[in-house]
Amino acid sequence: MQLKDPSLFKTQAFISGQWVDSDKGETFPVYNPATGELIAQVASVGLNETRRAINDAQTAMTSWRALPAKTRCDILERWYNLVLENVEDLALLMTAEQGKPLFESRGEIAYGASFIKWFAEEGKRVYGDIIPAASDRRSIAIKQPIGVVAAITPWNFPNAMITRKVAPALAVGCAMVLKPAAETPLSALALVELASRAGLPPGLFSVVPTRDASTVGSEMTLNPIVKKVTFTGSTQVGKLLMKQCADTVKRTSMELGGNAPVIVFDDADLDLAVAGALVAKYRNSGQTCICANRIIVQEGIYDAFVEKFVAAVNQFNIGNGLDDTTSHGPVITKKAAIDIHSKVQSAIAEGAVVASGGDFSELGECFYQPTVLTNVNDKMQVFQEEIFGPVAPIFKFTTEKEAISMANDTPFGLAAYFYTEHMGRSWRVSEALEYGMVGVNETAISSEVIPFGGVKESGQGREGSKYGLDDYLEIKYICMGGLQR
Ligand code: SIN
């Protein structure tokens, strides 16, 4: 990995403005999933370092929250510029540790940076209210930073899932201690280095990489100084963190698992639907929470859809993400590939037909063939569970009512998509889908300006948009009486 700026390659923890080894000198390995090559040994911090970072965050926040919003936001602007100036290095680091193709990494750096820019602007617009009162007093609602925030972020988007939490937190005057995923700490460490170069005062944003997620996560959820925990990851871990947060009644934001349907009605524009479903399914090799998990196609258009979809999948160029010709990279670990294969095998055992792929790839132990399954049904694991890999089961339905019922037949509710040219149906189905986000004739729904988040067991809270500030703010009511004295 030849970085233009090799000093962005960091392997220590960043605590209270200092690069430090772990107290016990412990490290953990980071591998390139495409090659299996060891690319770094990163400091693995424990309880003491996490506690130190939290204590120092509280101290640092005292003067940070007192600054004018504009001063805080100017530092975020500088950070945004530095991220964009270093996009190539950040993308290289990301592809090396995460596996996604370089073009996707570059896209994620720009996407991640857009949250910094957005919240640098929105942070200046934290308005309160003066509430009309009938009596001789004035009622005022002001918004204040919630306090020290702990964040736990995933490996599938090693940059953007961080910036969309830390940028609003810093913009409104909070401090953050972040635990990045053990698979992808290098992107987080490079990001915090750039934040520090932008002039962010020490202690406001500490990064505590670890292989001991349970010790660090417990401290983050149990420490009374931490007022809010924000997490992106699995529903299973999210539930555990919420339980742990209950003892100190912390606020939580949870962006958890999904089971997104893409419904294609007979009246859809077929080419648009195929293109949208391909992106929704195979972006990041199927490893996003909003990936199409179930493609549900009406019977009149089913065969034509499958034919076009499979033809496109067969054109994919699987390989090492560092190779510019690669369209799709590996999955994150060998274990992930094995889990994906077991879901495919279970579907085949229950009658699914493999229309493409269906097996490991000979490119390496983290590679799985882009797969399409037909003759699938709602009793199969591939209907009920998040696949988190490049496998597209294509289900068949007859009526609109049946499609909605299939789409909602899951405990998850993050993103759903559907394709139709019928205006009435666009409204009806949008309103009937039990999801936090709905794409109509569109699957590329993410951006910094929209409220990203789910309902049901997909989580709570919204990231991005004007609503993304709310999760880092408390409302305080001030009653002013005695006005006539
Ligand atoms: C995710 O997988 O949760 C993030 C996807 C996105 O922001 O588009």
Side-chain angles (χ1 to χ4, degrees), residues 94-95 97-101 104-105 107-109 111 152-162 164-165 180-185 187 231-234 255-258 283-291 330-332 386 388-389 414 452 463:
M94 186 184 294
T95 293
E97 64 180 351
Q98 202 275 346
K100 65 177 71 175
E104 279 197 32
S105 293
E108 185 185 334
I109 304 302
Y111 177 46
I152 301 177
T153 50
W155 49 260
N156 61 342
F157 288 89
N159 175 298
M161 299 304 104
I162 294 176
R164 74 186 188 187
K165 297 180 190 303
E183 293 84 353
T184 56
S187 296
F231 171 68
T232 298
S234 71
E255 204 265 87
L256 307 176
R283 170 185 177 219
N284 201 8
S285 293
Q287 304 171 107
T288 88
C289 306
I290 58 169
C291 262
V331 294
I332 189 72
E386 191 173 29
F388 232 64
L414 190 56
F452 188 106
E463 296 188 321

Side-chain angles (χ1 to χ4, degrees), residues 65-82:
R65 65 181 290 171
L67 289 173
K70 182 172 182 327
T71 311
R72 289 194 299 265
C73 292
D74 286 348
I75 294 176
L76 290 181
E77 283 278 354
R78 286 204 289 280
W79 185 25
Y80 163 76
N81 288 326
L82 284 172

Side-chain angles (χ1 to χ4, degrees), residues 155 281-288 291 293 329-348 354 356-361 365-373 381-382 385-393:
W155 49 260
K281 177 66 255 180
Y282 295 104
R283 170 185 177 219
N284 201 8
S285 293
Q287 304 171 107
T288 88
C291 262
N293 209 53
V331 294
I332 189 72
T333 54
K334 178 179 176 185
K335 178 179 175 308
I338 292 170
D339 284 353
I340 292 162
H341 190 52
S342 113
K343 289 193 176 90
V344 170
Q345 279 186 313
S346 142
I348 294 169
V354 177
S356 186
D359 210 341
F360 297 101
S361 152
E365 59 185 19
C366 297
F367 283 91
Y368 199 79
Q369 295 172 354
T371 295
V372 183
L373 301 175
Q381 228 183 341
V382 288
E385 290 176 21
E386 191 173 29
I387 301 168
F388 232 64
V391 177

Side-chain angles (χ1 to χ4, degrees), residues 60 88 109 150 172 195 215 412 431:
E88 281 306 311
I109 304 302
V172 301
T215 298
F412 297 102
E431 289 172 6

